[in-house]
Amino acid sequence: MAKNKPSKLKARLPRGFVDRSAADIRATEAMLAKIKAVYERYGFDPVETPAFEYTDCLGKFLPDTDRPNAGVFSVQDDDEQWMSLRYDLTAPLARHVAENINEIQLPYRTYRAGWVFRNEKPGPGRFRQFMQFDADSVGAPGVQADAEMCMMMADVLDALGIYEIDENGNKKPLYVIRVNNRKVLDGVMEAIGLGGEENAERRLTVLRAIDKLDKFGVEGVRLLLGEGRWEGGAPDKGDFTKGAGLESDSIDLVIQYIEVRLESGGVGSPALTSYLDLLGNTESGTAGLQELEEMAQLFSAANYERDRIRIDPSVVRGLEYYTGPVYEAELLFPVTNEKGEVVQFGSVGGGGRYDGLVKRFTGRDVPATGFSIGVSRLMSALKNLGKLKSDEVLAPVLVTVMDGDTGNLARYQKMTQDLRAAGIRAEMYQGNWKKFGNQLKYADRRGCPLAIIQGGDERAEGIVQIKDLIEGKRLSGEIEDNVTWRESRPAQESCPEADLVETVRRMLAAQAEDRAREGAKASAQGESV
């Protein structure tokens, strides 16, 4: 009777998630360090909240609705309470502040980086897990706090090198921080009859529709304001997105706002002022314009010109919890998208004022403002600019194993530990030591700069052989076995075992000088081109 072979478990990555390589992780850490340095310079301190929150603490501000598993990943605890993976870092901060309101010194200036999760359909460049890096000021009621956030966001992009140098040696930013005010948008909502708490969900749908202007154009937004829009333009060409269901007159009013804001020159623009008059000069719209005027004066006084921070009524931030100024960091250089089209890179982060979020827990007004940077998207931008760099991490020096008995393994391990104690990255070969050629292949694939070799003859003489693998690769082909190694011995030297650390340090320094020369040469060639 034939035995049934157990089926193999298929290794597969869940849709919308990615593995990260060592190079990706180090580049991310280098970028985050530069962002953190700016936050610290502004007097912000770090805080960390867990990935899970009780679902009711995330509240009605979920990406889609307030039902568990709609937009978020949720599980039930053993006491049957729903918990959800956080979908952003702002709602957990509001919970943290409310829970510790008597111990926290307000204004509370804080930053944090962390993974967030969206239970949404994944697609090109759209993941279910991604990292954000946020900064918030809680307990600061004035628009000067919003203005400072915009300045800090501009300084972050400057610190990351998102600029070019013009012919006069001056920095030309390749980004702009665009600023609007949610109260202006609320004036539009009031004019079409969507004021009040009972219309919060429809209001959010309208704002999301307006926010799709760059992607779908005016006519696409018109469809989303009405019954809805088919992704491919027809029922048999993609998914259907349900619209806001506005009447035609209301749609026309919103479209008119869209067209005016495209033409608008910013605060004080006759076109925008005329449109607010058309809305009946709403209280919300007027207050929003006044706050924008104040922020513009603060930017000017601090020498943040319009090429870095700009009042722009075209900005829409979709989440319902924004209550005042909203802002967005947009990158201005062209890239080629997945369809082969040359487009502007677009937004890498944004935020705004959310005065009502902490109040849900405390019942008292706690004003707050903050922004979030999309780390993965910002990394993609730096890669496009050729500025995604991290400090060079040298592969470890490899201590090879020629004899596998316990006494000799102890000698090899001591060499390894001596190198590590001197601050030199090192490892002892842990594979099948009997095939020496495999050790050198391993070192080559790891990019090891040096290999330490001590067989019985070397041990008897009290010496070690040190092979320069970088130079050896240049001078010869791959060495297959011990015999070939002993006959050719390219790019290697011997030294007393007691001098191992100093000799390794000297050889690594020589390699570093070679890399620096090659880098300078390549840079000079690039400039001449």
Side-chain angles (χ1 to χ4, degrees):
M1 182 175 178
K3 293 183 179 180
N4 293 327
K5 291 184 178 180
S7 59
K8 292 181 179 179
L9 183 65
K10 184 178 180 180
R12 62 202 189 278
L13 190 68
R15 291 188 309 123
F17 296 85
V18 294
D19 294 324
R20 302 170 69 221
S21 68
D24 288 339
I25 293 168
R26 289 184 177 122
T28 301
E29 289 175 346
M31 186 182 78
L32 294 182
K34 292 180 180 179
I35 299 172
K36 175 184 173 181
V38 176
Y39 291 173
E40 290 277 353
R41 193 163 68 241
Y42 272 70
F44 285 67
D45 294 315
V47 71
E48 185 173 280
T49 61
F52 269 100
E53 296 281 343
Y54 282 119
T55 303
D56 59 357
C57 288
L58 295 177
K60 67 179 181 181
F61 304 109
L62 303 183
D64 291 317
T65 71
D66 58 359
R67 179 176 60 84
N69 287 322
V72 294
F73 293 97
S74 300
V75 296
Q76 274 190 298
D77 203 354
D78 53 10
D79 59 0
E80 297 187 354
Q81 291 193 67
W82 280 100
M83 300 190 302
S84 298
L85 283 171
R86 62 191 178 195
Y87 64 84
D88 71 2
L89 300 178
T90 307
L93 177 67
R95 187 271 310 156
H96 170 76
V97 170
E99 197 169 12
N100 300 279
I101 193 71
N102 294 323
E103 289 76 37
I104 287 176
Q105 176 62 51
L106 299 180
Y108 182 45
R109 298 159 67 84
T110 181
Y111 67 84
R112 61 231 170 271
W115 296 102
V116 298
F117 304 85
R118 302 282 172 90
N119 188 3
E120 300 173 341
K121 182 180 179 181
R126 186 179 182 87
F127 301 105
R128 287 172 164 171
Q129 175 183 333
F130 52 93
M131 184 180 289
Q132 292 181 335
F133 201 170
D134 287 16
D136 294 82
S137 185
V138 182
V143 293
Q144 67 271 17
D146 303 284
E148 185 183 58
M149 284 292 174
C150 296
M151 296 176 197
M152 187 162 72
M153 187 182 276
D155 287 352
V156 162
L157 299 181
D158 249 23
L160 293 172
I162 303 180
Y163 56 81
E164 60 186 8
I165 305 298
D166 65 20
E167 62 275 7
N168 298 317
N170 299 317
K171 282 184 181 180
K172 178 185 176 183
L174 296 176
Y175 66 86
V176 64
I177 310 301
R178 301 187 300 130
V179 188
N180 194 12
N181 196 299
R182 189 58 176 266
K183 293 174 183 176
V184 176
L185 297 166
D186 286 344
V188 179
M189 298 298 105
E190 290 170 23
I192 61 175
L194 290 185
E197 184 66 26
E198 68 277 8
N199 290 309
E201 190 67 30
R202 290 187 70 195
R203 204 160 50 235
L204 187 56
T205 303
V206 171
L207 291 172
R208 285 184 178 140
I210 297 173
D211 202 26
K212 299 294 185 182
L213 176 64
D214 291 341
K215 187 174 183 180
F216 298 141
V218 172
E219 290 309 310
V221 172
R222 183 184 292 275
L223 292 173
L224 290 172
L225 293 171
E227 294 303 315
R229 178 185 178 277
W230 288 96
E231 186 175 318
D236 58 345
K237 295 182 179 180
D239 296 333
F240 180 74
T241 301
K242 185 178 179 181
L246 298 182
E247 299 293 335
S248 59
D249 289 348
S250 295
I251 293 175
D252 289 342
L253 204 58
V254 175
I255 293 299
Q256 188 176 350
Y257 170 71
I258 290 173
E259 292 173 338
V260 168
R261 71 192 184 101
L262 288 173
E263 299 165 1
S264 172
V267 173
S269 161
L272 185 61
T273 303
S274 297
Y275 185 64
L276 286 173
D277 289 340
L278 180 68
L279 297 181
N281 203 13
T282 64
E283 182 179 349
S284 295
T286 302
L289 273 182
Q290 179 60 41
E291 290 180 358
L292 289 176
E293 291 279 12
E294 293 177 25
M295 292 179 71
Q297 292 177 25
L298 292 170
F299 297 142
S300 178
N303 296 319
Y304 286 80
E305 304 298 334
R306 276 180 54 83
D307 63 342
R308 295 183 72 194
I309 304 179
R310 182 180 309 157
I311 304 298
D312 183 349
S314 70
V315 177
V316 175
R317 298 294 297 172
L319 290 176
E320 177 72 4
Y321 57 60
Y322 290 123
T323 59
V326 290
Y327 29 89
E328 193 161 59
E330 182 180 359
L331 304 190
L332 303 177
F333 55 88
V335 294
T336 302
N337 64 16
E338 58 269 16
K339 298 179 181 178
E341 303 165 333
V342 177
V343 297
Q344 197 163 288
F345 193 94
S347 174
V348 292
R353 177 160 289 278
Y354 54 96
D355 287 350
L357 208 53
V358 179
K359 186 177 182 178
R360 296 187 303 122
F361 301 99
T362 63
R364 60 188 256 198
D365 290 326
V366 182
T369 185
F371 68 80
S372 177
I373 291 174
V375 172
S376 298
R377 186 161 175 78
L378 187 51
M379 281 186 62
S380 178
L382 295 179
K383 184 176 181 180
N384 273 275
L385 285 174
K387 296 186 178 183
L388 183 60
K389 297 177 181 178
S390 59
D391 293 337
E392 183 180 17
V393 177
L394 199 63
V397 171
L398 181 68
V399 177
T400 62
V401 175
M402 304 289 284
D403 303 290
D405 65 83
T406 302
N408 289 323
L409 285 175
R411 294 177 68 95
Y412 297 132
Q413 190 68 64
K414 182 179 184 305
M415 293 180 195
T416 308
Q417 295 303 124
D418 288 345
L419 290 169
R420 290 168 177 166
I424 298 169
R425 197 170 182 220
E427 69 172 272
M428 185 177 80
Y429 185 72
Q430 301 290 351
N432 182 359
W433 65 271
K434 294 181 180 180
K435 295 184 178 180
F436 183 72
N438 286 348
Q439 298 190 51
L440 296 181
K441 288 180 182 178
Y442 173 82
D444 179 61
R445 290 167 182 165
R446 281 277 274 154
C448 296
L450 302 173
I452 312 301
I453 301 159
Q454 188 188 63
D457 294 343
E458 288 88 359
R459 190 176 305 115
E461 297 180 40
I463 64 172
V464 292
Q465 301 286 347
I466 306 176
K467 175 175 169 54
D468 185 330
L469 297 173
I470 307 300
E471 183 68 5
K473 184 182 291 187
R474 186 179 70 83
L475 294 176
S476 65
E478 189 176 69
I479 296 173
E480 295 291 344
D481 53 44
N482 197 13
V483 174
T484 306
W485 168 259
R486 291 184 181 278
E487 289 177 350
S488 56
R489 300 190 176 215
Q492 74 177 53
E493 63 178 90
S494 62
C495 72
E497 187 173 340
D499 296 340
L500 171 64
V501 170
E502 289 305 315
T503 306
V504 167
R505 185 178 280 129
R506 173 174 54 78
M507 294 177 72
L508 291 176
Q511 290 180 351
E513 290 177 5
D514 288 342
R515 288 194 298 274
R517 281 194 296 270
E518 289 298 319
K521 182 179 177 181
S523 178
Q525 289 175 344
E527 290 176 2
S528 65
V529 173

